[in-house]
Amino acid sequence: MGHVIPFIEFAKRLVHHHDDFNVTCIIPTIGPPSTAMKAAVEALPAPTINHIFLPPIIFDDDDQYSTKSPETILALAITRSLPSLACELKSLVASSRTNVVAFVVDFFCTETFEVAREFNLSSYLFFPSNAMVLSFLLYLPKLDEMVSCEFKDLTEPVKIPGCLPVHGRDFADTFQDRTSGTYKWFVDMIKKFSLARGIIVNSFMDLESGALKALSEEEPGKPPVYPIGPIIRSGSSESDDVSWSDCLTWLDNQPSDSVLFVAFGSGGTLSHAQVNELAFGLEMSQQRFIWVVKTPNDESASATYFSVQNHQKNHFDFLPEGFLERTKERGLVISSWGPQIEVLSHGATGGFLTHCGWNSTLESVVYGVPLIAWPLYAEQRMNALMLSEDVRVALRPNPNEGDGLVTREEIAKVVKELMEGEAGIGVRKRMRVMKHAASMALMEDGSSIKTLSKLALEWKKNQTASYGKTN
Ligand code: UDP
């Protein structure tokens, strides 16, 4: 969902500002689409924006689907969906009603460029993450050649163009084992970025000026970069879950800026020990909170990435005994999935303890909610670094050196600091500045909307037929 949502929001923004375009979203699947996925695409304004689900790919027994990382599952889904993608493109291109001016793909899908070439389509990448991660990925093939050890063993931080130096241990999980097949797949995939005619990135100038300036410098094999963000989910989350309406009613009765929202995105899970510490830490902080809780998992920090829709209904046996009773005046606990946008946009919400997924980050920026950065997997450690040390809109708890656990005392301290302390005032102020900058970028003459128009103009030039809508 973290890839699909920004993609379809991008489509909506394009047709809103340039109503002579149509968009067809083609989505590979690994099984029946989740309820959240179906709700998101069915709400699109057909026929201006259509969607097609490709048939689910078949996993062999040898694939050991359940033990694979999200990246590996995505890679398999894309490779095995290429034939069905080709069929769909063939019929789109053959249709007399459409004139396909651009083929825009998620950055995981560079393999599809070859299919697009068969149909003479101009390919663009859509990068739903930030400019820092994009700058890192574009630099990675060079780094791969220069460095022979594991990145986590490098003694000096790596200087990514336009960004803060980053320690190898903070690179995304995929880059922690250079002998793995996923690492090699990733590097090959990134090398194909150069085949794109442009890269659309979900960020904006004032948030990441250093990285975006570095990305705009021309270099052979580096496509032009189009920052068109922040793009976040518009409209309200659909749910008949009463805990959601209870949650929003509860928020209505809290003082402004007083509630900490705690959620780890679609995939993030904590161990039993960490859930325990977090519960005690929230309790000790004496702050108001809403916590979206998932069943703990001791094996993986991304355990629910593809299965978050399978809500377990309010079984909180794993929380410390008496926790719910003791915190009921101050805290609310929601199972699995909460109305994040509604909570972040509510005046009572004054902080967000987040795994630093890029969508969650941009949603906080748009609504001006300061952060506690608690990265778990994928590129989240890099995001956390940028948010706490570069943009300075986040505080960061320190995990234990040995077991990596964040203790209840540390959690209580950082939560109190964000909600009441001096450092909290600082990050809140910075976040308000970013909120203003985000809204300016999206004004008619703002940087992101102007960039979108540039892109639209380029695509219109690709139009050869003199009639019909442009896809
Ligand atoms: N989200 C939500 N309710 C939740 C958790 C997440 O609505 O309880 C939404 C959130 O608003 C965001 C997306 O799910 O739009 C998560 O995307 P992000 O990039 O932050 O993290 P990912 O899930 O990709 O790790």
Side-chain angles (χ1 to χ4, degrees), residues 1-3 5 233 237 261 263-268 292 305 336-341 355-361 363 377 380:
M1 290 302 289
H3 288 241
I5 291 171
R233 188 154 48 95
S237 329
F261 181 55
F264 296 93
S266 42
V292 182
Y305 197 78
S336 288
W337 192 251
Q340 181 163 310
I341 289 275
H355 70 316
C356 304
W358 192 239
N359 294 297
S360 296
T361 302
E363 288 159 11
Y377 62 97
Q380 294 155 14

Side-chain angles (χ1 to χ4, degrees), residues 143-157:
L143 192 66
D144 186 63
E145 278 171 22
M146 288 184 319
V147 171
S148 54
C149 63
E150 287 293 346
F151 298 134
K152 58 177 180 273
D153 298 329
L154 288 172
T155 47
E156 292 297 315

